[in-house]
PDB file of all heavy atoms in Angstrom:
ATOM      1  N   CYS A   1       0.835  -1.207   0.000  1.00 89.00           N
ATOM      2  CA  CYS A   1       0.000   0.000   0.000  1.00 89.00           C
ATOM      3  C   CYS A   1       0.870   1.257   0.000  1.00 89.00           C
ATOM      4  O   CYS A   1       0.566   2.247  -0.682  1.00 89.00           O
ATOM      5  CB  CYS A   1      -0.925   0.007   1.219  1.00 89.00           C
ATOM      6  SG  CYS A   1      -2.200  -1.274   1.160  1.00 89.00           S
ATOM      7  N   GLN A   2       1.993   1.183   0.747  1.00 89.00           N
ATOM      8  CA  GLN A   2       2.917   2.315   0.761  1.00 89.00           C
ATOM      9  C   GLN A   2       3.590   2.488  -0.607  1.00 89.00           C
ATOM     10  O   GLN A   2       3.860   3.618  -1.049  1.00 89.00           O
ATOM     11  CB  GLN A   2       3.971   2.114   1.846  1.00 89.00           C
ATOM     12  CG  GLN A   2       3.417   2.217   3.263  1.00 89.00           C
ATOM     13  CD  GLN A   2       4.478   1.930   4.327  1.00 89.00           C
ATOM     14  OE1 GLN A   2       5.645   1.733   4.012  1.00 89.00           O
ATOM     15  NE2 GLN A   2       4.043   1.905   5.583  1.00 89.00           N
ATOM     16  N   VAL A   3       3.854   1.378  -1.282  1.00 88.00           N
ATOM     17  CA  VAL A   3       4.410   1.450  -2.639  1.00 88.00           C
ATOM     18  C   VAL A   3       3.433   2.154  -3.560  1.00 88.00           C
ATOM     19  O   VAL A   3       3.826   3.021  -4.376  1.00 88.00           O
ATOM     20  CB  VAL A   3       4.739   0.025  -3.159  1.00 88.00           C
ATOM     21  CG1 VAL A   3       5.041   0.052  -4.658  1.00 88.00           C
ATOM     22  CG2 VAL A   3       5.915  -0.565  -2.402  1.00 88.00           C
ATOM     23  N   LEU A   4       2.146   1.846  -3.455  1.00 86.00           N
ATOM     24  CA  LEU A   4       1.139   2.503  -4.286  1.00 86.00           C
ATOM     25  C   LEU A   4       1.104   4.007  -4.017  1.00 86.00           C
ATOM     26  O   LEU A   4       1.023   4.826  -4.954  1.00 86.00           O
ATOM     27  CB  LEU A   4      -0.236   1.883  -4.023  1.00 86.00           C
ATOM     28  CG  LEU A   4      -0.541   0.565  -4.742  1.00 86.00           C
ATOM     29  CD1 LEU A   4      -1.842  -0.023  -4.234  1.00 86.00           C
ATOM     30  CD2 LEU A   4      -0.610   0.784  -6.250  1.00 86.00           C
ATOM     31  N   ARG A   5       1.167   4.380  -2.752  1.00 85.00           N
ATOM     32  CA  ARG A   5       1.143   5.808  -2.420  1.00 85.00           C
ATOM     33  C   ARG A   5       2.389   6.511  -2.961  1.00 85.00           C
ATOM     34  O   ARG A   5       2.333   7.647  -3.424  1.00 85.00           O
ATOM     35  CB  ARG A   5       1.049   5.967  -0.902  1.00 85.00           C
ATOM     36  CG  ARG A   5      -0.264   5.469  -0.317  1.00 85.00           C
ATOM     37  CD  ARG A   5      -0.398   5.832   1.153  1.00 85.00           C
ATOM     38  NE  ARG A   5      -1.610   5.249   1.726  1.00 85.00           N
ATOM     39  CZ  ARG A   5      -1.647   4.112   2.410  1.00 85.00           C
ATOM     40  NH1 ARG A   5      -0.528   3.428   2.621  1.00 85.00           N
ATOM     41  NH2 ARG A   5      -2.788   3.648   2.879  1.00 85.00           N
ATOM     42  N   GLY A   6       3.536   5.804  -2.874  1.00 85.00           N
ATOM     43  CA  GLY A   6       4.764   6.383  -3.401  1.00 85.00           C
ATOM     44  C   GLY A   6       4.717   6.541  -4.910  1.00 85.00           C
ATOM     45  O   GLY A   6       5.178   7.557  -5.458  1.00 85.00           O
ATOM     46  N   LEU A   7       4.147   5.542  -5.612  1.00 82.00           N
ATOM     47  CA  LEU A   7       3.990   5.643  -7.064  1.00 82.00           C
ATOM     48  C   LEU A   7       3.100   6.818  -7.433  1.00 82.00           C
ATOM     49  O   LEU A   7       3.357   7.543  -8.402  1.00 82.00           O
ATOM     50  CB  LEU A   7       3.394   4.347  -7.620  1.00 82.00           C
ATOM     51  CG  LEU A   7       4.293   3.107  -7.638  1.00 82.00           C
ATOM     52  CD1 LEU A   7       3.484   1.902  -8.086  1.00 82.00           C
ATOM     53  CD2 LEU A   7       5.480   3.315  -8.553  1.00 82.00           C
ATOM     54  N   ALA A   8       2.035   7.020  -6.645  1.00 81.00           N
ATOM     55  CA  ALA A   8       1.112   8.125  -6.918  1.00 81.00           C
ATOM     56  C   ALA A   8       1.793   9.475  -6.731  1.00 81.00           C
ATOM     57  O   ALA A   8       1.438  10.451  -7.400  1.00 81.00           O
ATOM     58  CB  ALA A   8      -0.103   8.017  -6.009  1.00 81.00           C
ATOM     59  N   CYS A   9       2.775   9.537  -5.839  1.00 82.00           N
ATOM     60  CA  CYS A   9       3.511  10.791  -5.603  1.00 82.00           C
ATOM     61  C   CYS A   9       4.666  10.969  -6.574  1.00 82.00           C
ATOM     62  O   CYS A   9       5.410  11.952  -6.475  1.00 82.00           O
ATOM     63  CB  CYS A   9       4.035  10.824  -4.167  1.00 82.00           C
ATOM     64  SG  CYS A   9       2.725  10.879  -2.937  1.00 82.00           S
ATOM     65  N   GLY A  10       4.891   9.962  -7.459  1.00 79.00           N
ATOM     66  CA  GLY A  10       5.916  10.094  -8.472  1.00 79.00           C
ATOM     67  C   GLY A  10       7.297   9.642  -8.053  1.00 79.00           C
ATOM     68  O   GLY A  10       8.289  10.002  -8.693  1.00 79.00           O
ATOM     69  N   LYS A  11       7.399   8.863  -6.972  1.00 84.00           N
ATOM     70  CA  LYS A  11       8.707   8.383  -6.517  1.00 84.00           C
ATOM     71  C   LYS A  11       9.193   7.245  -7.407  1.00 84.00           C
ATOM     72  O   LYS A  11       8.394   6.485  -7.966  1.00 84.00           O
ATOM     73  CB  LYS A  11       8.627   7.909  -5.073  1.00 84.00           C
ATOM     74  CG  LYS A  11       8.420   9.030  -4.071  1.00 84.00           C
ATOM     75  CD  LYS A  11       8.448   8.493  -2.640  1.00 84.00           C
ATOM     76  CE  LYS A  11       8.283   9.625  -1.633  1.00 84.00           C
ATOM     77  NZ  LYS A  11       8.324   9.137  -0.243  1.00 84.00           N
ATOM     78  N   SER A  12      10.509   7.095  -7.490  1.00 83.00           N
ATOM     79  CA  SER A  12      11.090   6.001  -8.264  1.00 83.00           C
ATOM     80  C   SER A  12      11.237   4.765  -7.384  1.00 83.00           C
ATOM     81  O   SER A  12      11.075   4.825  -6.159  1.00 83.00           O
ATOM     82  CB  SER A  12      12.460   6.417  -8.802  1.00 83.00           C
ATOM     83  OG  SER A  12      13.372   6.591  -7.717  1.00 83.00           O
ATOM     84  N   ALA A  13      11.572   3.644  -8.022  1.00 84.00           N
ATOM     85  CA  ALA A  13      11.750   2.399  -7.275  1.00 84.00           C
ATOM     86  C   ALA A  13      12.906   2.506  -6.290  1.00 84.00           C
ATOM     87  O   ALA A  13      12.845   2.005  -5.171  1.00 84.00           O
ATOM     88  CB  ALA A  13      11.987   1.239  -8.249  1.00 84.00           C
ATOM     89  N   LYS A  14      13.968   3.190  -6.695  1.00 87.00           N
ATOM     90  CA  LYS A  14      15.131   3.346  -5.830  1.00 87.00           C
ATOM     91  C   LYS A  14      14.780   4.180  -4.595  1.00 87.00           C
ATOM     92  O   LYS A  14      15.169   3.852  -3.456  1.00 87.00           O
ATOM     93  CB  LYS A  14      16.262   4.002  -6.610  1.00 87.00           C
ATOM     94  CG  LYS A  14      17.559   4.091  -5.836  1.00 87.00           C
ATOM     95  CD  LYS A  14      18.664   4.679  -6.710  1.00 87.00           C
ATOM     96  CE  LYS A  14      19.980   4.765  -5.923  1.00 87.00           C
ATOM     97  NZ  LYS A  14      21.067   5.345  -6.753  1.00 87.00           N
ATOM     98  N   GLU A  15      14.015   5.250  -4.804  1.00 88.00           N
ATOM     99  CA  GLU A  15      13.605   6.094  -3.672  1.00 88.00           C
ATOM    100  C   GLU A  15      12.683   5.342  -2.723  1.00 88.00           C
ATOM    101  O   GLU A  15      12.807   5.439  -1.498  1.00 88.00           O
ATOM    102  CB  GLU A  15      12.909   7.352  -4.208  1.00 88.00           C
ATOM    103  CG  GLU A  15      13.843   8.299  -4.954  1.00 88.00           C
ATOM    104  CD  GLU A  15      13.083   9.394  -5.665  1.00 88.00           C
ATOM    105  OE1 GLU A  15      11.836   9.267  -5.839  1.00 88.00           O
ATOM    106  OE2 GLU A  15      13.727  10.376  -6.062  1.00 88.00           O
ATOM    107  N   LEU A  16      11.746   4.554  -3.301  1.00 88.00           N
ATOM    108  CA  LEU A  16      10.838   3.764  -2.449  1.00 88.00           C
ATOM    109  C   LEU A  16      11.603   2.707  -1.654  1.00 88.00           C
ATOM    110  O   LEU A  16      11.305   2.463  -0.488  1.00 88.00           O
ATOM    111  CB  LEU A  16       9.768   3.090  -3.323  1.00 88.00           C
ATOM    112  CG  LEU A  16       8.667   4.004  -3.870  1.00 88.00           C
ATOM    113  CD1 LEU A  16       7.819   3.249  -4.893  1.00 88.00           C
ATOM    114  CD2 LEU A  16       7.794   4.494  -2.725  1.00 88.00           C
ATOM    115  N   ALA A  17      12.602   2.085  -2.305  1.00 89.00           N
ATOM    116  CA  ALA A  17      13.393   1.065  -1.621  1.00 89.00           C
ATOM    117  C   ALA A  17      14.140   1.664  -0.436  1.00 89.00           C
ATOM    118  O   ALA A  17      14.198   1.066   0.647  1.00 89.00           O
ATOM    119  CB  ALA A  17      14.372   0.420  -2.601  1.00 89.00           C
ATOM    120  N   GLU A  18      14.713   2.859  -0.612  1.00 89.00           N
ATOM    121  CA  GLU A  18      15.431   3.501   0.485  1.00 89.00           C
ATOM    122  C   GLU A  18      14.481   3.909   1.606  1.00 89.00           C
ATOM    123  O   GLU A  18      14.798   3.787   2.792  1.00 89.00           O
ATOM    124  CB  GLU A  18      16.176   4.730  -0.052  1.00 89.00           C
ATOM    125  CG  GLU A  18      17.344   4.379  -0.964  1.00 89.00           C
ATOM    126  CD  GLU A  18      17.978   5.613  -1.583  1.00 89.00           C
ATOM    127  OE1 GLU A  18      17.434   6.728  -1.365  1.00 89.00           O
ATOM    128  OE2 GLU A  18      18.996   5.467  -2.288  1.00 89.00           O
ATOM    129  N   THR A  19      13.291   4.376   1.224  1.00 89.00           N
ATOM    130  CA  THR A  19      12.311   4.804   2.225  1.00 89.00           C
ATOM    131  C   THR A  19      11.795   3.615   3.052  1.00 89.00           C
ATOM    132  O   THR A  19      11.656   3.715   4.275  1.00 89.00           O
ATOM    133  CB  THR A  19      11.124   5.506   1.541  1.00 89.00           C
ATOM    134  OG1 THR A  19      11.603   6.581   0.759  1.00 89.00           O
ATOM    135  CG2 THR A  19      10.131   6.021   2.570  1.00 89.00           C
ATOM    136  N   LEU A  20      11.502   2.521   2.374  1.00 89.00           N
ATOM    137  CA  LEU A  20      10.899   1.351   3.044  1.00 89.00           C
ATOM    138  C   LEU A  20      11.940   0.374   3.602  1.00 89.00           C
ATOM    139  O   LEU A  20      11.569  -0.604   4.252  1.00 89.00           O
ATOM    140  CB  LEU A  20       9.974   0.613   2.069  1.00 89.00           C
ATOM    141  CG  LEU A  20       8.786   1.424   1.535  1.00 89.00           C
ATOM    142  CD1 LEU A  20       8.002   0.622   0.510  1.00 89.00           C
ATOM    143  CD2 LEU A  20       7.877   1.847   2.686  1.00 89.00           C
ATOM    144  N   GLY A  21      13.210   0.585   3.311  1.00 89.00           N
ATOM    145  CA  GLY A  21      14.260  -0.275   3.845  1.00 89.00           C
ATOM    146  C   GLY A  21      14.330  -1.636   3.184  1.00 89.00           C
ATOM    147  O   GLY A  21      14.627  -2.642   3.850  1.00 89.00           O
ATOM    148  N   VAL A  22      14.036  -1.686   1.882  1.00 91.00           N
ATOM    149  CA  VAL A  22      14.121  -2.947   1.134  1.00 91.00           C
ATOM    150  C   VAL A  22      14.957  -2.700  -0.127  1.00 91.00           C
ATOM    151  O   VAL A  22      15.349  -1.562  -0.410  1.00 91.00           O
ATOM    152  CB  VAL A  22      12.710  -3.478   0.748  1.00 91.00           C
ATOM    153  CG1 VAL A  22      11.930  -3.862   1.975  1.00 91.00           C
ATOM    154  CG2 VAL A  22      11.957  -2.435  -0.087  1.00 91.00           C
ATOM    155  N   VAL A  23      15.216  -3.752  -0.878  1.00 90.00           N
ATOM    156  CA  VAL A  23      15.970  -3.610  -2.119  1.00 90.00           C
ATOM    157  C   VAL A  23      15.013  -3.251  -3.252  1.00 90.00           C
ATOM    158  O   VAL A  23      13.802  -3.440  -3.165  1.00 90.00           O
ATOM    159  CB  VAL A  23      16.737  -4.907  -2.452  1.00 90.00           C
ATOM    160  CG1 VAL A  23      17.772  -5.203  -1.383  1.00 90.00           C
ATOM    161  CG2 VAL A  23      15.786  -6.085  -2.620  1.00 90.00           C
ATOM    162  N   ARG A  24      15.597  -2.733  -4.350  1.00 88.00           N
ATOM    163  CA  ARG A  24      14.798  -2.288  -5.496  1.00 88.00           C
ATOM    164  C   ARG A  24      14.010  -3.451  -6.110  1.00 88.00           C
ATOM    165  O   ARG A  24      12.869  -3.277  -6.556  1.00 88.00           O
ATOM    166  CB  ARG A  24      15.733  -1.669  -6.542  1.00 88.00           C
ATOM    167  CG  ARG A  24      15.030  -1.133  -7.775  1.00 88.00           C
ATOM    168  CD  ARG A  24      16.024  -0.437  -8.694  1.00 88.00           C
ATOM    169  NE  ARG A  24      15.395   0.028  -9.913  1.00 88.00           N
ATOM    170  CZ  ARG A  24      15.215  -0.718 -10.993  1.00 88.00           C
ATOM    171  NH1 ARG A  24      15.648  -1.970 -11.008  1.00 88.00           N
ATOM    172  NH2 ARG A  24      14.616  -0.215 -12.067  1.00 88.00           N
ATOM    173  N   LYS A  25      14.602  -4.661  -6.091  1.00 89.00           N
ATOM    174  CA  LYS A  25      13.923  -5.815  -6.682  1.00 89.00           C
ATOM    175  C   LYS A  25      12.624  -6.136  -5.949  1.00 89.00           C
ATOM    176  O   LYS A  25      11.640  -6.567  -6.559  1.00 89.00           O
ATOM    177  CB  LYS A  25      14.867  -7.024  -6.642  1.00 89.00           C
ATOM    178  CG  LYS A  25      14.352  -8.226  -7.383  1.00 89.00           C
ATOM    179  CD  LYS A  25      15.378  -9.350  -7.376  1.00 89.00           C
ATOM    180  CE  LYS A  25      14.853 -10.563  -8.124  1.00 89.00           C
ATOM    181  NZ  LYS A  25      15.847 -11.668  -8.106  1.00 89.00           N
ATOM    182  N   THR A  26      12.599  -5.887  -4.620  1.00 91.00           N
ATOM    183  CA  THR A  26      11.376  -6.133  -3.848  1.00 91.00           C
ATOM    184  C   THR A  26      10.260  -5.179  -4.285  1.00 91.00           C
ATOM    185  O   THR A  26       9.082  -5.566  -4.369  1.00 91.00           O
ATOM    186  CB  THR A  26      11.661  -5.966  -2.343  1.00 91.00           C
ATOM    187  OG1 THR A  26      12.690  -6.869  -1.962  1.00 91.00           O
ATOM    188  CG2 THR A  26      10.416  -6.231  -1.510  1.00 91.00           C
ATOM    189  N   ILE A  27      10.624  -3.933  -4.553  1.00 89.00           N
ATOM    190  CA  ILE A  27       9.612  -2.962  -5.005  1.00 89.00           C
ATOM    191  C   ILE A  27       9.023  -3.396  -6.343  1.00 89.00           C
ATOM    192  O   ILE A  27       7.800  -3.340  -6.558  1.00 89.00           O
ATOM    193  CB  ILE A  27      10.241  -1.563  -5.126  1.00 89.00           C
ATOM    194  CG1 ILE A  27      10.815  -1.112  -3.771  1.00 89.00           C
ATOM    195  CG2 ILE A  27       9.222  -0.550  -5.637  1.00 89.00           C
ATOM    196  CD1 ILE A  27       9.788  -0.999  -2.677  1.00 89.00           C
ATOM    197  N   LEU A  28       9.886  -3.858  -7.276  1.00 88.00           N
ATOM    198  CA  LEU A  28       9.389  -4.325  -8.573  1.00 88.00           C
ATOM    199  C   LEU A  28       8.494  -5.551  -8.409  1.00 88.00           C
ATOM    200  O   LEU A  28       7.479  -5.685  -9.097  1.00 88.00           O
ATOM    201  CB  LEU A  28      10.569  -4.648  -9.489  1.00 88.00           C
ATOM    202  CG  LEU A  28      11.463  -3.452  -9.873  1.00 88.00           C
ATOM    203  CD1 LEU A  28      12.636  -3.927 -10.697  1.00 88.00           C
ATOM    204  CD2 LEU A  28      10.657  -2.401 -10.630  1.00 88.00           C
ATOM    205  N   SER A  29       8.857  -6.449  -7.497  1.00 89.00           N
ATOM    206  CA  SER A  29       8.018  -7.638  -7.229  1.00 89.00           C
ATOM    207  C   SER A  29       6.682  -7.231  -6.647  1.00 89.00           C
ATOM    208  O   SER A  29       5.634  -7.812  -6.978  1.00 89.00           O
ATOM    209  CB  SER A  29       8.746  -8.578  -6.270  1.00 89.00           C
ATOM    210  OG  SER A  29       9.947  -9.049  -6.833  1.00 89.00           O
ATOM    211  N   ASP A  30       6.679  -6.212  -5.774  1.00 90.00           N
ATOM    212  CA  ASP A  30       5.418  -5.737  -5.211  1.00 90.00           C
ATOM    213  C   ASP A  30       4.522  -5.147  -6.295  1.00 90.00           C
ATOM    214  O   ASP A  30       3.295  -5.354  -6.285  1.00 90.00           O
ATOM    215  CB  ASP A  30       5.698  -4.679  -4.131  1.00 90.00           C
ATOM    216  CG  ASP A  30       6.227  -5.287  -2.843  1.00 90.00           C
ATOM    217  OD1 ASP A  30       6.094  -6.518  -2.688  1.00 90.00           O
ATOM    218  OD2 ASP A  30       6.764  -4.536  -2.011  1.00 90.00           O
ATOM    219  N   CYS A  31       5.119  -4.414  -7.246  1.00 86.00           N
ATOM    220  CA  CYS A  31       4.324  -3.868  -8.355  1.00 86.00           C
ATOM    221  C   CYS A  31       3.701  -4.980  -9.188  1.00 86.00           C
ATOM    222  O   CYS A  31       2.536  -4.899  -9.601  1.00 86.00           O
ATOM    223  CB  CYS A  31       5.202  -2.983  -9.239  1.00 86.00           C
ATOM    224  SG  CYS A  31       5.696  -1.439  -8.452  1.00 86.00           S
ATOM    225  N   GLU A  32       4.468  -6.025  -9.445  1.00 86.00           N
ATOM    226  CA  GLU A  32       3.944  -7.150 -10.210  1.00 86.00           C
ATOM    227  C   GLU A  32       2.828  -7.858  -9.440  1.00 86.00           C
ATOM    228  O   GLU A  32       1.816  -8.276 -10.011  1.00 86.00           O
ATOM    229  CB  GLU A  32       5.093  -8.121 -10.519  1.00 86.00           C
ATOM    230  CG  GLU A  32       4.675  -9.357 -11.292  1.00 86.00           C
ATOM    231  CD  GLU A  32       4.152  -9.017 -12.681  1.00 86.00           C
ATOM    232  OE1 GLU A  32       4.398  -7.894 -13.175  1.00 86.00           O
ATOM    233  OE2 GLU A  32       3.472  -9.868 -13.275  1.00 86.00           O
ATOM    234  N   TYR A  33       3.000  -7.991  -8.117  1.00 89.00           N
ATOM    235  CA  TYR A  33       1.956  -8.623  -7.288  1.00 89.00           C
ATOM    236  C   TYR A  33       0.676  -7.786  -7.330  1.00 89.00           C
ATOM    237  O   TYR A  33      -0.434  -8.323  -7.444  1.00 89.00           O
ATOM    238  CB  TYR A  33       2.457  -8.762  -5.851  1.00 89.00           C
ATOM    239  CG  TYR A  33       1.454  -9.405  -4.930  1.00 89.00           C
ATOM    240  CD1 TYR A  33       1.402 -10.786  -4.766  1.00 89.00           C
ATOM    241  CD2 TYR A  33       0.525  -8.633  -4.233  1.00 89.00           C
ATOM    242  CE1 TYR A  33       0.464 -11.382  -3.939  1.00 89.00           C
ATOM    243  CE2 TYR A  33      -0.410  -9.210  -3.399  1.00 89.00           C
ATOM    244  CZ  TYR A  33      -0.441 -10.586  -3.256  1.00 89.00           C
ATOM    245  OH  TYR A  33      -1.372 -11.174  -2.434  1.00 89.00           O
ATOM    246  N   ILE A  34       0.827  -6.455  -7.226  1.00 86.00           N
ATOM    247  CA  ILE A  34      -0.353  -5.580  -7.255  1.00 86.00           C
ATOM    248  C   ILE A  34      -1.081  -5.730  -8.584  1.00 86.00           C
ATOM    249  O   ILE A  34      -2.316  -5.758  -8.640  1.00 86.00           O
ATOM    250  CB  ILE A  34       0.083  -4.122  -7.018  1.00 86.00           C
ATOM    251  CG1 ILE A  34       0.629  -3.964  -5.602  1.00 86.00           C
ATOM    252  CG2 ILE A  34      -1.088  -3.165  -7.245  1.00 86.00           C
ATOM    253  CD1 ILE A  34       1.343  -2.644  -5.354  1.00 86.00           C
ATOM    254  N   ARG A  35      -0.312  -5.799  -9.686  1.00 82.00           N
ATOM    255  CA  ARG A  35      -0.945  -5.939 -10.999  1.00 82.00           C
ATOM    256  C   ARG A  35      -1.722  -7.239 -11.115  1.00 82.00           C
ATOM    257  O   ARG A  35      -2.818  -7.260 -11.659  1.00 82.00           O
ATOM    258  CB  ARG A  35       0.129  -5.880 -12.091  1.00 82.00           C
ATOM    259  CG  ARG A  35      -0.471  -5.789 -13.485  1.00 82.00           C
ATOM    260  CD  ARG A  35       0.571  -6.021 -14.547  1.00 82.00           C
ATOM    261  NE  ARG A  35       0.968  -7.420 -14.599  1.00 82.00           N
ATOM    262  CZ  ARG A  35       0.248  -8.385 -15.177  1.00 82.00           C
ATOM    263  NH1 ARG A  35      -0.906  -8.110 -15.742  1.00 82.00           N
ATOM    264  NH2 ARG A  35       0.677  -9.629 -15.188  1.00 82.00           N
ATOM    265  N   ARG A  36      -1.164  -8.336 -10.571  1.00 83.00           N
ATOM    266  CA  ARG A  36      -1.817  -9.645 -10.681  1.00 83.00           C
ATOM    267  C   ARG A  36      -2.966  -9.815  -9.688  1.00 83.00           C
ATOM    268  O   ARG A  36      -3.818 -10.685  -9.863  1.00 83.00           O
ATOM    269  CB  ARG A  36      -0.787 -10.759 -10.482  1.00 83.00           C
ATOM    270  CG  ARG A  36       0.237 -10.848 -11.602  1.00 83.00           C
ATOM    271  CD  ARG A  36       1.182 -12.016 -11.413  1.00 83.00           C
ATOM    272  NE  ARG A  36       2.180 -12.091 -12.474  1.00 83.00           N
ATOM    273  CZ  ARG A  36       1.993 -12.630 -13.665  1.00 83.00           C
ATOM    274  NH1 ARG A  36       0.801 -13.136 -13.970  1.00 83.00           N
ATOM    275  NH2 ARG A  36       2.950 -12.645 -14.569  1.00 83.00           N
ATOM    276  N   HIS A  37      -2.962  -9.019  -8.620  1.00 83.00           N
ATOM    277  CA  HIS A  37      -4.019  -9.108  -7.601  1.00 83.00           C
ATOM    278  C   HIS A  37      -4.693  -7.733  -7.481  1.00 83.00           C
ATOM    279  O   HIS A  37      -4.752  -7.134  -6.403  1.00 83.00           O
ATOM    280  CB  HIS A  37      -3.437  -9.557  -6.255  1.00 83.00           C
ATOM    281  CG  HIS A  37      -2.753 -10.892  -6.304  1.00 83.00           C
ATOM    282  ND1 HIS A  37      -1.461 -11.051  -6.759  1.00 83.00           N
ATOM    283  CD2 HIS A  37      -3.186 -12.142  -5.973  1.00 83.00           C
ATOM    284  CE1 HIS A  37      -1.119 -12.327  -6.700  1.00 83.00           C
ATOM    285  NE2 HIS A  37      -2.148 -13.014  -6.234  1.00 83.00           N
ATOM    286  N   TYR A  38      -5.182  -7.274  -8.623  1.00 78.00           N
ATOM    287  CA  TYR A  38      -5.737  -5.911  -8.704  1.00 78.00           C
ATOM    288  C   TYR A  38      -6.901  -5.716  -7.733  1.00 78.00           C
ATOM    289  O   TYR A  38      -7.020  -4.664  -7.097  1.00 78.00           O
ATOM    290  CB  TYR A  38      -6.175  -5.647 -10.148  1.00 78.00           C
ATOM    291  CG  TYR A  38      -6.886  -4.336 -10.350  1.00 78.00           C
ATOM    292  CD1 TYR A  38      -6.160  -3.160 -10.442  1.00 78.00           C
ATOM    293  CD2 TYR A  38      -8.276  -4.289 -10.454  1.00 78.00           C
ATOM    294  CE1 TYR A  38      -6.794  -1.952 -10.622  1.00 78.00           C
ATOM    295  CE2 TYR A  38      -8.920  -3.079 -10.640  1.00 78.00           C
ATOM    296  CZ  TYR A  38      -8.177  -1.914 -10.720  1.00 78.00           C
ATOM    297  OH  TYR A  38      -8.819  -0.733 -10.895  1.00 78.00           O
ATOM    298  N   CYS A  39      -7.762  -6.737  -7.597  1.00 80.00           N
ATOM    299  CA  CYS A  39      -8.961  -6.585  -6.759  1.00 80.00           C
ATOM    300  C   CYS A  39      -8.610  -6.330  -5.300  1.00 80.00           C
ATOM    301  O   CYS A  39      -9.352  -5.646  -4.572  1.00 80.00           O
ATOM    302  CB  CYS A  39      -9.849  -7.822  -6.877  1.00 80.00           C
ATOM    303  SG  CYS A  39     -10.556  -8.035  -8.511  1.00 80.00           S
TER     304      CYS A  39
END
């Protein structure tokens, strides 16, 4: 949910990873999960 809010504010994957304390690959995986579980 925080990734979605960050995307809406125009943040990049690298910025979100630093903010949330995870690696960039985790952010990309979260985006893919959100796309596959849209509901």
Side-chain angles (χ1 to χ4, degrees):
C1 292
Q2 291 177 4
V3 168
L4 279 172
R5 294 188 185 97
L7 289 174
C9 295
K11 290 184 178 181
S12 66
K14 185 176 180 180
E15 292 170 344
L16 286 171
E18 291 175 355
T19 304
L20 299 176
V22 294
V23 297
R24 181 175 177 275
K25 188 176 180 181
T26 302
I27 301 299
L28 296 176
S29 298
D30 286 344
C31 290
E32 179 64 17
Y33 180 89
I34 294 168
R35 189 192 72 78
R36 292 184 181 278
H37 301 81
Y38 174 79
C39 294

